[in-house]
Amino acid sequence: MADSSFLDWPFFEARHRAFAAEVETWAVANADRLTEHHDADGSTRALARAMGQAGLLRVAAPEDGKLDVRSLCLAREILARHSGLADFAFAMQGLGTGAITLFGSEELKREVLPGVRAGTTLAAFALSEPEAGSDVAALAMTATRDGNAHWRLDGEKTWISNGGIAGSYVVFARSGEAPGTRGLTAFWVPGDEVAVAERIEVSAPHPLARLRFEGVRVPDAHRIGAPGEGFKLAMATLDVFRATVGAAALGFARRGLDLLLQRATTRQLFGAALFDQQMTQAAIADAAVDVDAAALLVYRAAWLKDQGTPRVSREASMAKLHATEVAGRIADACAQLHGGLGVVRDSAPELLTREVRALRVYEGASEIQRVVIARAERERM
């Protein structure tokens, strides 16, 4: 088991340490066994089912409606250290239903969350569009009233994780109550109502798709929150889950540090261990400092949210920005230290490099995180 001394930090309670041990035990036994990188759909289904059976998804779709961000972060860190697809499968069950957990009606929670918690229904979060990613105000997909009890959804979504295999979608559309971000509404749409326009292949395979909605009729009972509140719901959901992206990056970074140490202590160079080279020691030292700094930022943001801080956008953005950039640096150092082996397809360093790259883009690119942080600093003047 990897070093868990950070669990002694004051951010955590005994229940967090127990849950971390539970996730670690499950991951050691199952994460690698159930991960097939050339079958992302099948792996995601199998991993979600196994995590549901083990009870791990209880923190992603909690029955009491209380999302514990420290538990979410611990799960993502541990799972990412073992398997990027395991982390992905866990994270989407939470992100894909976060708006329902936080703002859905009791009826909708009873309809959607049990299957997600059991891992038998996969969840998706459909916000991005071909012309609206970081700029949520540019959403073009429309939601129009269809009588008193229904809405019609028309438009496209893209870069949707679990797109095409999810049974549950939280979808954001322009309902027109006001211009820009004030005229969006969130809806729950079952998977059999969603058409896949295109499956998208990416460097580190995971289920991803462009979706098409053509006159999809949605009952008003499947609306999440009030009309016009969609942007607020989306940002509140991301405020919870953004720090968990940093936690996943932290898990990848810890994996990279382990690979650095293993390579440095077993590889011989010029008649001595590679570790004896001062440049190697510098790379390992920098990685170790970066990992601890990322952990402190991630778990500070998670702890603040769990303490009831209304908005942790600044702290969550700092955690995501630093941890994802760190993971990229460590993955690059890991590939460099492995020489030719570092670029062999599906080798541990090469796989790590591909797995960490997307973290600096999704749920707010690094550039957007810098904007959020800078504006927060201005407001603190």
Side-chain angles (χ1 to χ4, degrees):
M1 182 174 176
D3 176 38
S4 60
S5 60
F6 73 97
L7 289 168
D8 293 328
W9 292 352
F11 296 121
F12 303 107
E13 302 168 25
R15 61 189 176 90
H16 295 114
R17 289 184 278 274
F19 180 65
E22 182 182 351
V23 177
E24 179 70 26
T25 298
W26 182 91
V28 168
N30 297 288
D32 186 62
R33 176 178 67 85
L34 296 174
T35 297
E36 169 51 61
H37 293 287
H38 301 289
D39 181 12
D41 289 6
S43 293
T44 301
R45 291 188 180 100
L47 286 160
R49 280 196 303 270
M51 283 188 274
Q53 290 169 358
L56 301 186
L57 295 177
R58 68 184 186 275
V59 304
E63 195 166 359
D64 63 4
K66 297 177 182 177
L67 288 162
D68 185 89
V69 187
R70 285 168 291 178
S71 293
L72 291 168
C73 286
L74 285 168
R76 292 202 65 180
E77 176 186 338
I78 293 165
L79 292 169
R81 182 161 45 77
H82 289 274
S83 160
L85 274 173
D87 163 61
F88 167 81
F90 173 87
M92 286 312 304
Q93 297 301 85
L95 177 63
T97 56
I100 296 173
T101 298
L102 294 169
F103 303 104
S105 66
E106 292 305 314
E107 293 78 9
L108 193 57
K109 291 177 184 178
R110 285 194 294 269
E111 183 173 358
V112 177
L113 296 184
V116 172
R117 192 180 302 122
T120 54
T121 300
L122 298 181
F125 182 80
L127 180 64
S128 295
E129 297 182 2
E131 301 300 326
S134 299
D135 183 9
V136 178
L139 284 187
M141 182 172 170
T142 59
T144 54
R145 288 279 189 180
D146 184 5
N148 293 326
H150 287 83
W151 298 75
R152 288 174 60 90
L153 303 183
D154 292 278
E156 285 194 354
K157 295 292 180 181
T158 195
W159 307 114
I160 306 306
S161 293
N162 275 346
I165 66 172
S168 169
Y169 292 80
V170 170
V171 181
F172 298 85
R174 181 162 301 286
S175 47
E177 289 75 17
T181 58
R182 293 176 294 169
L184 307 178
T185 300
F187 301 89
W188 176 71
V189 181
D192 56 10
E193 297 288 333
V194 178
V196 177
E198 175 190 14
R199 292 299 299 270
I200 302 171
E201 298 294 329
V202 287
S203 55
H206 75 266
L208 198 66
R210 178 168 60 89
L211 309 174
R212 183 177 294 120
F213 295 77
E214 296 180 345
V216 174
R217 203 160 184 254
V218 180
D220 190 58
H222 291 174
R223 174 174 43 82
I224 307 167
E229 290 187 347
F231 178 77
K232 182 178 75 173
L233 269 61
M235 293 304 104
T237 302
L238 292 174
D239 207 40
V240 170
F241 285 93
R242 185 159 284 157
T244 78
V245 182
L250 175 60
F252 286 123
R254 290 196 195 276
R255 190 203 305 177
L257 179 55
D258 289 345
L259 288 170
L260 280 175
L261 285 165
Q262 183 181 23
R263 176 69 172 177
T265 53
T266 59
R267 175 68 170 173
Q268 294 291 305
L269 186 68
F270 304 125
L274 182 57
F275 182 88
D276 292 340
Q277 299 290 324
Q278 287 186 340
M279 292 181 69
T280 303
Q281 294 176 18
I284 292 170
D286 288 346
V289 171
D290 278 343
V291 163
D292 267 25
L296 287 163
L297 286 170
V298 165
Y299 290 112
R300 176 188 68 163
W303 177 82
L304 284 170
K305 192 64 179 177
D306 286 341
Q307 299 312 298
T309 304
R311 292 298 303 272
V312 294
S313 300
R314 171 182 177 271
E315 293 79 9
S317 289
M318 285 183 170
K320 182 186 186 293
L321 172 64
H322 184 71
T324 57
E325 295 287 337
V326 159
R329 288 198 297 269
I330 293 176
D332 186 67
C334 190
Q336 189 73 13
L337 208 64
H338 280 74
L341 293 175
V343 292
V344 171
R345 180 76 176 180
D346 290 337
S347 67
E350 190 271 343
L351 177 60
L352 179 64
T353 299
R354 285 189 284 120
E355 285 187 311
V356 303
R357 185 59 186 88
L359 294 171
R360 290 157 57 197
V361 175
Y362 74 75
E363 287 191 42
S366 291
E367 292 76 11
I368 297 299
Q369 305 311 319
R370 290 184 171 97
V371 170
V372 172
I373 295 164
R375 289 177 177 173
E377 290 305 298
R378 180 179 62 187
E379 292 173 3
R380 285 155 58 92
M381 289 178 63

Short mmCIF file of all heavy atoms in Angstrom, two decimals, residues 302-312:
data_model
loop_
_atom_site.label_atom_id
_atom_site.label_comp_id
_atom_site.label_asym_id
_atom_site.label_seq_id
_atom_site.Cartn_x
_atom_site.Cartn_y
_atom_site.Cartn_z
N ALA A 302 -11.34 20.68 -0.17
CA ALA A 302 -12.37 19.70 0.22
C ALA A 302 -12.84 19.94 1.64
O ALA A 302 -14.04 19.89 1.94
CB ALA A 302 -11.80 18.29 0.07
N TRP A 303 -11.89 20.20 2.54
CA TRP A 303 -12.24 20.44 3.95
C TRP A 303 -13.11 21.68 4.09
O TRP A 303 -14.12 21.68 4.81
CB TRP A 303 -10.97 20.60 4.77
CG TRP A 303 -11.20 20.92 6.22
CD1 TRP A 303 -11.50 20.04 7.22
CD2 TRP A 303 -11.16 22.22 6.83
NE1 TRP A 303 -11.65 20.71 8.42
CE2 TRP A 303 -11.45 22.05 8.20
CE3 TRP A 303 -10.90 23.50 6.34
CZ2 TRP A 303 -11.49 23.11 9.09
CZ3 TRP A 303 -10.95 24.57 7.22
CH2 TRP A 303 -11.24 24.37 8.58
N LEU A 304 -12.75 22.75 3.38
CA LEU A 304 -13.55 23.98 3.45
C LEU A 304 -14.98 23.73 2.99
O LEU A 304 -15.94 24.21 3.61
CB LEU A 304 -12.91 25.08 2.59
CG LEU A 304 -11.67 25.76 3.17
CD1 LEU A 304 -11.02 26.64 2.11
CD2 LEU A 304 -12.04 26.59 4.40
N LYS A 305 -15.14 22.99 1.89
CA LYS A 305 -16.49 22.72 1.39
C LYS A 305 -17.27 21.90 2.39
O LYS A 305 -18.46 22.16 2.65
CB LYS A 305 -16.41 21.99 0.05
CG LYS A 305 -17.75 21.93 -0.67
CD LYS A 305 -18.24 23.32 -1.06
CE LYS A 305 -19.56 23.29 -1.81
NZ LYS A 305 -20.06 24.64 -2.11
N ASP A 306 -16.62 20.91 2.99
CA ASP A 306 -17.30 20.07 3.98
C ASP A 306 -17.64 20.83 5.25
O ASP A 306 -18.55 20.41 5.99
CB ASP A 306 -16.44 18.85 4.31
CG ASP A 306 -16.42 17.82 3.19
OD1 ASP A 306 -17.33 17.86 2.32
OD2 ASP A 306 -15.50 16.99 3.16
N GLN A 307 -16.94 21.92 5.52
CA GLN A 307 -17.25 22.73 6.70
C GLN A 307 -18.42 23.66 6.47
O GLN A 307 -18.85 24.38 7.38
CB GLN A 307 -16.03 23.57 7.12
CG GLN A 307 -14.81 22.76 7.51
CD GLN A 307 -15.13 21.65 8.47
OE1 GLN A 307 -15.59 21.89 9.59
NE2 GLN A 307 -14.89 20.41 8.06
N GLY A 308 -18.93 23.67 5.23
CA GLY A 308 -20.10 24.50 4.94
C GLY A 308 -19.77 25.82 4.29
O GLY A 308 -20.66 26.68 4.16
N THR A 309 -18.53 26.04 3.88
CA THR A 309 -18.19 27.27 3.17
C THR A 309 -19.04 27.35 1.90
O THR A 309 -19.03 26.42 1.09
CB THR A 309 -16.70 27.28 2.79
OG1 THR A 309 -15.92 27.08 3.97
CG2 THR A 309 -16.31 28.59 2.12
N PRO A 310 -19.80 28.43 1.71
CA PRO A 310 -20.75 28.48 0.60
C PRO A 310 -20.10 28.30 -0.77
O PRO A 310 -20.61 27.56 -1.61
CB PRO A 310 -21.39 29.86 0.74
CG PRO A 310 -21.20 30.23 2.17
CD PRO A 310 -19.89 29.63 2.57
N ARG A 311 -19.01 29.01 -1.02
CA ARG A 311 -18.33 28.88 -2.30
C ARG A 311 -16.84 28.70 -2.05
O ARG A 311 -16.24 29.42 -1.26
CB ARG A 311 -18.52 30.15 -3.15
CG ARG A 311 -19.92 30.38 -3.66
CD ARG A 311 -20.41 29.27 -4.57
NE ARG A 311 -19.57 29.04 -5.72
CZ ARG A 311 -19.69 29.67 -6.88
NH1 ARG A 311 -20.64 30.59 -7.03
NH2 ARG A 311 -18.90 29.38 -7.90
N VAL A 312 -16.28 27.72 -2.74
CA VAL A 312 -14.83 27.48 -2.63
C VAL A 312 -14.20 27.53 -4.02
O VAL A 312 -13.23 26.83 -4.30
CB VAL A 312 -14.53 26.11 -1.95
CG1 VAL A 312 -14.99 26.11 -0.51
CG2 VAL A 312 -15.17 24.97 -2.72
#
